[in-house]
């Protein structure tokens, strides 16, 4: 029996200090491009490929994207669902997530109720995650109707994160939104991490090694980057820059 994805993630954080995951949207960039980028990102040292997107609705694009990525990479492929269409039987695991600060019960618990049976019947490994939008949150903040945590109110992020951990969620994600002008502030990461014993994921607007290192020094265990690899021809180098910054200088 191989390791579960969760064991792999926890082992990787223990061994490497902090890890980076690459987020790809097969509806936005196409299944083939996803697979090519994933292969380059793996060579650069990414620890996992996350697949999803705030407006993803094509189950076909998702299934094709996941299958193609899996044919080219060895690192786990983890679903990052926005809605019921975000579940694919071909992935290794799913972030089974609740958008904790949404105004709509749909994103807090109803979509999970609609998806749980599918996740179970596909035999997907579920990783329970509390998802917290910081600031306006870009597309996901809009679609998810989030009451974004103001950048200068870290104590509110702590309250939601601690509630999620106390409810038994095993990962917390502070999300500034894809393409955010400013990433989650280090003061907020630090305060949230000081109250958590589960891994802390941070993403949104992280475009270089410096920004990734700042987040990791503040307490992030997993850095998620998305846009970065869509904006560059130097995918392998850019991922490697992030990975080396967070591994060598992170803690
Ligand atoms: C979005 O946090 C991720 O869900 C990644 O954001 O695209 O800005 O890297 P970027």
């Amino acid at each position: 029996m191989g390791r579960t994805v969760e064991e792999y993630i926890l082992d990787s954080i223990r061994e490497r200090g902090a890890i980076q995951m690459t987020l790809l949207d097969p509806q936005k960039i196409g299944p083939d491009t996803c697979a090519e980028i994933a292969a380059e990102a793996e060579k650069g040292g990414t620890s996992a490929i996350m697949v999803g997107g705030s407006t993803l609705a094509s189950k076909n694009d998702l299934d094709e994207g996941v299958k193609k990525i899996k044919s080219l990479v060895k690192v786990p492929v983890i679903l990052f669902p926005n809605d019921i269409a975000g579940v694919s039987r071909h992935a290794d695991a799913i972030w089974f997530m609740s958008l904790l600060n949404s105004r709509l019960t749909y994103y807090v618990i109803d979509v999970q109720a609609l998806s749980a049976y599918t996740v179970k019947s596909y035999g997907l490994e579920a990783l329970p995650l509390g998802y917290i939008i910081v600031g306006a949150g870009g597309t996901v903040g809009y679609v998810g109707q989030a009451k974004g945590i103001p950048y200068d109110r870290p104590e509110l992020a702590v309250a939601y994160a601690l509630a999620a951990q106390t409810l038994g969620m095993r990962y917390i994600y502070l999300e500034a939104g894809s393409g955010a002008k400013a990433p989650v502030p280090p003061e907020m990461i630090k305060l949230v991490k000081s109250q958590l014993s589960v891994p802390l994921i941070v993403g949104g607007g992280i475009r270089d090694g410096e920004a990734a290192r700042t987040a990791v020094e503040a307490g992030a265990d997993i850095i998620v980057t998305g846009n970065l690899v869509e904006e560059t021809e130097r995918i392998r180098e850019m991922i490697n820059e992030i990975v080396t910054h967070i591994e060598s200088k992170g803690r």
Side-chain angles (χ1 to χ4, degrees), residues 77-207:
V77 176
I78 308 173
L79 299 168
F80 186 52
N82 59 316
D83 209 326
I84 47 175
V87 186
S88 168
R89 65 167 76 243
H90 307 289
D92 297 303
I94 181 167
W95 291 119
F96 199 75
M97 53 203 276
S98 171
L99 205 178
L100 300 172
N101 55 337
S102 174
R103 290 187 176 83
L104 302 179
T105 61
Y106 182 74
Y107 291 108
V108 179
I109 188 61
D110 298 333
V111 73
Q112 296 79 1
L114 295 172
S115 312
Y117 178 76
T118 309
V119 169
K120 185 166 185 279
S121 64
Y122 287 174
L124 279 170
E125 181 182 340
L127 307 165
L129 180 151
Y131 191 49
I132 301 166
I133 305 287
V134 177
T139 308
V140 69
Y142 178 86
V143 173
Q145 296 197 30
K147 291 183 292 170
I149 309 279
Y151 276 60
D152 60 351
R153 292 289 180 274
E155 67 278 9
L156 290 175
V158 172
Y160 280 86
L162 199 51
Q165 175 175 281
T166 309
L167 283 164
M169 293 174 181
R170 300 201 291 270
Y171 301 84
I172 307 295
Y173 192 142
L174 295 178
E175 170 71 270
S178 190
K181 286 198 182 71
V184 177
E187 300 74 27
M188 185 180 282
I189 297 171
K190 198 169 175 193
L191 203 61
V192 168
K193 186 62 184 180
S194 73
Q195 295 296 324
L196 288 186
S197 51
V198 299
L200 179 60
I201 307 170
V202 175
I206 297 174
R207 291 185 186 79

Side-chain angles (χ1 to χ4, degrees), residues 228-243:
L228 174 74
V229 289
E230 294 172 17
E231 289 166 355
T232 178
E233 299 284 297
R234 300 167 49 246
I235 295 160
R236 195 187 307 192
E237 292 84 347
M238 288 302 292
I239 297 295
N240 194 248
E241 180 193 316
I242 289 185
V243 169

